[in-house]
Amino acid sequence: MHDGLCVDYCDKLFSVCKGEYFDPYINKNDIVPFCKSDSLLCSRIDEKASNGAEFCKLLGLPVSKL
């Protein structure tokens, strides 16, 4: 049994999404904190995360230690 998402899966997500922008101040109850039309401050994902594991953690998703 895993304790979170597989690192390989997080890496795939990161490779697809790394050029997108996210809002670090968005409501934490939102599943994916991507920028919206009313977002005041946005950052590129690859400026805040350098790999898949960091990306998943940025989204608040647990990453497996296996």
Side-chain angles (χ1 to χ4, degrees):
M1 183 152 112
H2 295 283
D3 54 347
L5 293 174
C6 296
V7 173
D8 289 343
Y9 183 73
C10 291
D11 287 341
K12 288 178 185 177
L13 287 174
F14 179 69
S15 71
V16 171
C17 299
K18 64 185 175 184
E20 298 295 327
Y21 289 82
F22 81 104
D23 183 346
Y25 300 106
I26 204 159
N27 183 341
K28 295 298 181 186
N29 293 324
D30 284 352
I31 295 172
V32 181
F34 291 110
C35 288
K36 295 183 169 73
S37 61
D38 62 345
S39 295
L40 295 176
L41 178 66
C42 294
S43 300
R44 272 182 58 122
I45 290 170
D46 60 1
E47 292 176 355
K48 299 295 179 183
S50 60
N51 58 50
E54 288 180 3
F55 177 53
C56 282
K57 289 177 185 174
L58 183 68
L59 294 176
L61 302 171
V63 179
S64 178
K65 295 178 180 109
L66 298 176

